[in-house]
Amino acid sequence: MELGFFKSLSQWVGNNLMKSGDHETWAFDLQGAVDMFNLYRKINTCGGVDGGGAGFGGG
């Protein structure tokens, strides 16, 4: 880790940027990625006392 970023994260960001004129843009649908992440968090949240959510062997 250098300058606060893991090497794998830096590589991923670099591989997912495209040059568009004089600036860079994401090579994928960023809002779609945010929506998928939020859905994952909703589905895989710890359920507390009942043993956890779907991603933790419970619920």
Side-chain angles (χ1 to χ4, degrees), residues 12-29:
W12 180 85
V13 168
N15 288 332
N16 286 288
L17 290 175
M18 294 185 334
K19 188 84 168 160
S20 179
D22 61 347
H23 64 280
E24 286 79 27
T25 180
W26 287 111
F28 63 91
D29 178 10

Side-chain angles (χ1 to χ4, degrees), residues 2-55:
E2 190 173 316
L3 300 176
F5 294 100
F6 289 103
K7 183 177 180 180
S8 58
L9 176 60
S10 298
Q11 289 172 333
W12 180 85
V13 168
N15 288 332
N16 286 288
L17 290 175
M18 294 185 334
K19 188 84 168 160
S20 179
D22 61 347
H23 64 280
E24 286 79 27
T25 180
W26 287 111
F28 63 91
D29 178 10
L30 184 57
Q31 186 57 52
V34 169
D35 293 343
M36 283 193 308
F37 178 73
N38 287 334
L39 180 60
Y40 170 81
R41 286 181 46 207
K42 182 178 179 183
I43 291 171
N44 289 297
T45 0
C46 183
V49 180
D50 69 63

